[in-house]
Amino acid sequence: INARNENYYVYKLIKIDFLRRLKLFEESTGLIESLKNDSNFSGAAFKKAVNYQLELINKKDINEHKMPG
């Protein structure tokens, strides 16, 4: 996906979720780290989603979840 696409970060968040659900925790965590180091990645909702994914990864949780609140 082209970084200039307006949904670039949404796609990245979806990819993180898919990787986690496929038990690819290291790959998912690596993508999260790259987003955290991306100066263009901002927004409270995006950061909340990333932090929630990290919680699920740490629990080795591969289930589907809705974002809390």
Side-chain angles (χ1 to χ4, degrees):
I1 297 186
N2 190 319
R4 292 173 287 190
N5 185 304
E6 67 181 36
N7 293 313
Y8 177 75
Y9 293 109
V10 172
Y11 294 139
K12 291 291 184 178
L13 293 174
I14 292 168
K15 183 176 180 178
I16 290 167
D17 188 59
F18 283 145
L19 290 170
R20 176 187 58 79
R21 290 170 59 193
L22 290 168
K23 298 182 184 180
L24 298 172
F25 302 117
E26 286 184 34
E27 290 88 342
S28 187
T29 303
L31 184 51
I32 289 171
E33 291 305 316
S34 71
L35 284 177
K36 285 184 171 185
N37 293 325
D38 184 339
S39 61
N40 294 316
F41 182 71
S42 63
F46 283 146
K47 290 179 182 178
K48 183 177 179 181
V50 166
N51 289 333
Y52 187 56
Q53 286 293 336
L54 278 174
E55 286 178 35
L56 296 172
I57 291 166
N58 289 333
K59 294 177 187 178
K60 304 287 191 228
D61 186 332
I62 61 166
N63 296 310
E64 184 176 353
H65 294 273
K66 291 185 178 182
M67 279 292 297

